[in-house]
Amino acid sequence: MSAYVLILDDDADVATAAQLLLRRRYGKVATLCDPAGLPALLAQGVPDVVLLDLNFTPGFIDGAEGLALLDLLRAQAQPPAVIAMTAYADVPLAVEALKRGAGDFITKPWDNARLVAAIDQALARRAALRGPTAAAPDLMGESAAMRELKALIAGVAPTEANVMVLGENGVGKELVARAIHALSRRAAGTLLAVDMGALPESTFESELFGHRKGSFTDAKADRAGRFQAARGGSLFLDEIGNMPLVAQAKLLTALERREVTPIGADKPEAIDVRIISATNLEETRLFDPAVFRPDLLFRLNTIVIRVPPLRERREDIPLLLSHYLTHYALQYERPARNVSPAAMDGLLRYEWPGNVRALRHACERAVILGQGADYAFSDFGLPGSGAAADGDEAAAPAWRPPGIASPARAAAVGDMTLDALEREAIASALSQFNGNISHAAKTLGISRAALYRKLGKHGI
């Protein structure tokens, strides 16, 4: 999601933890530990959302510094959304911040889902205030396929119909979901995304429906499920095609009854969410009862939106290249450069098996590693670059993250360090699953959060 998030906190560890959590979800996530640098930073561009700590100087707990910074942020011509971050004991101070213009507050240590939901809600409010034309800036492209897609979104969004978004990995299914939510009557509410493929069966009900304190061994407190957390908004069920049939039955019951029963609760709770789901499964497989329950499918696919792969809208590639190259040049403070004619020819003919996500990664690599006056095709680190640059029509190898050696090359590298072996294992898993984080994490035997941390560590 293309958004600029600033984390303003004097604790560098807290700021870094938030940055690692958020930077794969939003376009730019910056940190600032010294509030004295805020005016200079604002002069370079005002963030969309600011996570603002309310106390900075050791020994001072009255929040005066944070409230002064809040006043400065609110005084901007186009002020950012501000989310106050505070310790539990400072909740009255956070309430004061709300009165002074903050849109929400988060207690530390935060719940990751709650933090992301708060930011998404803040962005949705900004989008709603700007109007429909600015609500979905990430759906870039003026091809006939994209114009048709945007028109369909505009027609569907104001309704309450459940929507299923179909498309390959990397085409932007989540962006479509966010556009639907931003243009809906629920835009002021939360859009909460859930990776259904990453939910273990053992915690499925707890994650979606919540639980009561003491209902099982690790239930140390009451916890709201995703359905309750998204009340009044939209729930985006990503990778829904990867759900086991047992979990599908439980989801179907909740949708049919419009209520959920938290684990350990005596009675059900009504739910008020709009369901947007997405999968990269082929439609023929979705209609296979051994893969997906027909009764659940009919609950979810009232409206079906098919997102075209990048190879079917090649005329949008120059616009996408310009956007991402400019974005990363600004982010990494690199000079603006043009794409050479030969490179553009190769990029237009490339099959883009990873779609827009792969193009974005390739642009980031080109900005970081490119050395010439113009971007060359080799700067983008795409498989088969030699053949593509020469105009050959040979099929390209499978996708892999920009800058990562192929498995054959990796196997030939001797005397590798433990860090290097870990990096290659991650790269191999990502390549195997076409960049799908959930599947790669499962294969590696780690959580999605741990994989994100390792991606940051290795610069992948």
Side-chain angles (χ1 to χ4, degrees), residues 349-362:
R349 287 189 293 104
Y350 185 64
E351 286 299 299
W352 296 107
N355 293 292
V356 178
R357 181 188 296 142
L359 182 144
R360 176 166 57 86
H361 286 311

Side-chain angles (χ1 to χ4, degrees), residues 63 128 174 220 264 308 316 355 359 372 377 413 441:
E174 184 168 351
K220 296 180 171 42
D316 291 330
N355 293 292
L359 182 144
F377 187 78
V413 177

Side-chain angles (χ1 to χ4, degrees), residues 1-3 26 48 119-140 150 153-154 157-158 172 174-189 191:
M1 186 178 186
S2 182
Y26 305 104
D48 296 300
I119 295 174
D120 286 350
Q121 188 171 359
L123 291 170
R125 287 196 192 102
R126 285 170 61 84
L129 289 173
R130 292 176 189 171
T133 57
D138 287 325
L139 287 173
M140 290 179 290
K150 292 175 184 178
I153 290 171
E174 184 168 351
L175 297 182
V176 170
R178 294 188 179 282
I180 293 170
H181 176 74
L183 295 173
S184 75
R185 296 186 180 94
R186 295 174 174 263
L191 171 67

